């Protein structure tokens, strides 16, 4: 978290903003201008929209709100980049800034933000307390970087991205499931200075004893479900999920294709055999829910997931991350697009929770059974459109972050959400089941 002296917070902010911008640059410079303005899927914005939207949010929150400055561009530009005024499918036909104008704009905003940061007190006003709104903007840019990476995955054509492969798993034999004992823990946070509104406030939650998969569900596991006729067996599916499967003809995760007896998948322009030991990726909530029912289990609730990720039964305390309070590192978690996919299951023993549950942070977002709602005492802040307008039964919560989530926007309390039919996000899952009486 951004704690420490004001100088330490300022240097953390510069670091987080700079890392976000390096990634935005990478994702928007890897393709030509045609590819930047093209819509690669109606689910996604053109990359050039994300780019200028990143700059526009940074200008609105930092330069105009905190800095009190006048707009850098004609005020009609703001509405083009307001996500609520134009659905993604309509964005290509808007009179958007072109790629060169967008790059100039975001660079201009950023250089003024760096000046502003030095002149902004980090005490005494809630928006800037501990650098909150600067941290919010770094998180916002990284969330869009993850979205832009999903656009890259949907893009047809030659590969343009590369990264070293993720680490192998050491091959330790892990128990398939781990018992999480009954009792209360602290869900959410009131202490993390950069936590977003939906993570607040901290509140006690009692969780009954349950078993949670020690690692995420793998491709090999998921292929067993497919081979057993999982997609053709109504009883495994939520009724709305079954209707969806029939309507769109789902038969395997997104980007998978059958080649003779083998499953192959396309990832960032490369087609390769589906690796059996990687967490399954690009499944929707309905697929995760159906798999769990087929396996005789269920998805964890959001509270169960968070308790497994944060609770230490030995000290009876709730941590920020499974491994403790320290920031994520390359040894602990697969984050930040360091690799272009999840690592094999079991590859991050250094990131294990106190109970030994692995890969809760990084690799794949994990679907939970929970609808996205506000915690008791929730207050929208600093804007209703971040979370509150999405509360309700139509969105399911995902936890833990993917290989494409940056560490600034990933922690034990961080909440993501999407529609239960969405598969282009970097989502997988793990399963849970109730403990038997006397087990915990
Ligand atoms: C939290 C990932 C669902 O991308 O819609 C970006 C994040 N909010 N700009 C999204 C977000 C505003 C949000 N998710
Ligand atoms: Fe946004």
């Amino acid at each position: 978290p951004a704690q420490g002296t004001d100088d330490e917070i300022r240097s953390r902010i510069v670091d987080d903003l700079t890392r976000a911008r390096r990634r935005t640059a990478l994702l928007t410079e890897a393709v030509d201008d045609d590819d930047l303005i093209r819509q690669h899927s109606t689910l996604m914005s053109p990359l050039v929209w994300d780019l200028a939207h990143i700059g526009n949010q940074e200008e609105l929150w930092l330069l105009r709100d905190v800095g009190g400055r006048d707009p850098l561009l004609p005020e009609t530009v703001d509405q083009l980049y307001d996500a609520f005024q134009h659905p993604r499918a309509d964005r290509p036909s808007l009179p958007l800034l072109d790629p060169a104008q967008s790059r100039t704009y975001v660079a201009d905003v950023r250089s003024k933000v760096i000046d502003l940061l030095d002149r902004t007190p980090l005490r005494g006003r809630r928006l800037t307390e501990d650098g909150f709104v600067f941290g919010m903007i770094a998180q916002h840019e990284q969330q869009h970087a993850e979205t832009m990476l999903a656009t890259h995955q949907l893009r047809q054509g030659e590969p343009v991205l590369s990264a070293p492969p993720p680490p192998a798993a050491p091959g330790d034999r892990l128990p398939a499931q781990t018992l999480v004992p009954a009792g209360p823990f602290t869900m959410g946070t009131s202490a993390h200075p950069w936590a977003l509104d939906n993570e607040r406030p901290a509140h006690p939650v009692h969780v009954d004893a349950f078993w949670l998969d020690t690692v995420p569900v793998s491709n090999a596991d998921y292929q067993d479900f497919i081979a057993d006729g999982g997609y053709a067996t109504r009883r495994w599916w939520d009724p709305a999920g079954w209707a969806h499967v029939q309507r769109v003809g789902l038969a395997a995760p997104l980007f998978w294709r059958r080649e003779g007896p083998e499953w192959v998948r396309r990832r960032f322009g490369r087609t390769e055999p589906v690796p059996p030991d990687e967490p399954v990726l690009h499944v929707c909530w309905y697929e995760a829910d159906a798999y769990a029912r087929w396996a005789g289990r269920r998805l964890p609730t959001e509270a169960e997931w968070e308790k497994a990720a944060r609770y230490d039964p030995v000290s009876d305390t709730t941590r920020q991350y499974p491994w403790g309070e320290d920031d994520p590192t390359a040894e602990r978690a697969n984050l930040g697009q360091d690799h272009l996919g999840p690592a094999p299951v079991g590859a991050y023993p250094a990131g294990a929770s106190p109970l030994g549950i692995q890969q809760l942070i990084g690799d794949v977002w994990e679907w939970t059974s929970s609808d996205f709602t506000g915690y008791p005492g929730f207050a929208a802040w600093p804007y209703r459109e971040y979370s509150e307008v999405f509360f309700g039964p139509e969105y399911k919560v995902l936890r833990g972050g993917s290989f494409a989530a940056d560490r600034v926007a990933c922690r034990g309390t961080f909440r993501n959400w999407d529609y239960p039919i969405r598969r282009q996000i970097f989502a997988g899952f793990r399963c849970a089941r109730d403990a038997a009486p006397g087990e915990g």
Side-chain angles (χ1 to χ4, degrees), residues 17-37:
L17 287 174
T18 305
R19 189 172 68 256
R21 187 53 49 88
R22 259 203 312 273
R23 186 173 173 202
T24 299
L26 180 90
L27 290 165
T28 54
E29 284 163 14
V31 293
D32 61 22
D33 282 8
D34 267 4
D35 258 6
L36 280 180
I37 60 180

Side-chain angles (χ1 to χ4, degrees), residues 176-208:
Q177 293 156 38
T178 300
L179 181 68
V180 180
F185 84 109
T186 303
M187 188 168 184
T189 178
S190 302
H192 191 300
W194 289 6
L196 303 174
D197 59 1
N198 63 53
E199 301 167 74
R200 301 171 184 273
H203 58 289
V205 175
H206 174 88
V207 179
D208 287 337

Side-chain angles (χ1 to χ4, degrees), residues 94-406:
L94 298 171
L96 301 176
L97 300 183
D98 69 27
Q101 291 168 325
S102 302
R103 290 191 178 109
T104 304
Y105 176 50
V106 302
D108 235 26
V109 171
R110 177 56 54 88
S111 72
K112 293 181 165 65
V113 162
I114 298 301
D115 289 345
L116 175 68
L117 176 61
D118 273 334
R119 290 183 282 106
T120 304
L122 304 182
R123 311 285 152 205
R125 180 185 173 197
R126 182 160 179 212
L127 196 62
T128 44
E129 190 74 19
D130 293 310
F132 168 81
V133 71
F134 292 91
M136 182 183 89
I137 286 301
Q139 295 180 67
H140 180 258
E141 181 160 354
Q142 288 287 6
Q143 288 181 294
H144 277 274
E146 179 160 5
T147 299
M148 289 192 281
L149 190 66
T151 304
H152 271 267
Q153 168 61 16
L154 286 160
R155 173 184 165 271
Q156 300 293 327
E158 291 304 300
V160 295
L161 300 175
S162 60
D172 306 335
R173 272 191 72 85
L174 299 172
Q177 293 156 38
T178 300
L179 181 68
V180 180
F185 84 109
T186 303
M187 188 168 184
T189 178
S190 302
H192 191 300
W194 289 6
L196 303 174
D197 59 1
N198 63 53
E199 301 167 74
R200 301 171 184 273
H203 58 289
V205 175
H206 174 88
V207 179
D208 287 337
F210 70 103
W211 293 87
L212 188 65
D213 289 351
T214 307
V215 294
V217 169
S218 70
N219 288 326
D221 299 333
Y222 199 82
Q223 284 182 65
D224 290 343
F225 168 69
I226 299 175
D228 197 38
Y231 280 91
T233 311
R234 180 179 203 144
R235 73 178 181 284
W236 307 136
W237 296 80
D238 179 280
W242 180 252
H244 180 67
V245 165
Q246 303 308 299
R247 190 167 57 247
V248 304
L250 297 189
L254 187 59
F255 308 116
W256 285 31
R257 188 160 50 74
R258 197 122 207 165
E259 233 166 52
E262 240 198 347
W263 283 108
V264 298
R265 60 113 193 269
R266 186 172 54 80
R267 180 165 295 164
F268 301 116
R270 297 175 186 89
T271 298
E272 55 213 8
V274 169
D277 57 349
E278 266 178 30
V280 67
L281 184 63
H282 296 302
V283 288
C284 70
W285 185 90
Y286 289 124
E287 290 168 297
D289 174 69
Y291 173 96
R293 206 168 287 113
W294 167 81
R297 306 208 286 282
R298 58 176 173 77
L299 294 179
T301 65
E302 194 184 358
E304 287 173 335
W305 188 97
E306 187 169 326
K307 183 174 176 182
R310 298 183 63 203
Y311 184 66
D312 176 13
V314 172
S315 58
D316 187 30
T317 54
T318 302
R319 312 167 147 196
Q320 165 131 228
Y321 299 104
W323 54 82
E325 301 306 317
D326 295 342
D327 288 343
T329 60
E331 287 66 46
R332 294 184 177 121
N334 180 10
L335 290 168
Q337 203 184 307
D338 286 352
H339 310 292
L340 285 172
V345 299
Y348 286 89
S353 76
L355 292 164
I357 302 172
Q358 297 199 14
Q359 284 165 303
L360 287 154
I361 298 292
D363 294 295
V364 294
W365 286 103
E366 299 182 19
W367 288 111
T368 71
S369 62
S370 301
D371 296 341
F372 187 44
T373 55
Y375 293 154
F378 169 84
W381 187 80
Y383 67 116
R384 280 192 68 242
E385 292 77 16
Y386 181 70
S387 320
E388 193 179 36
V389 298
F390 300 102
F391 287 167
E394 47 301 24
Y395 289 96
K396 298 295 183 188
V397 173
L398 300 116
R399 289 304 203 99
S402 73
F403 67 92
D406 184 83

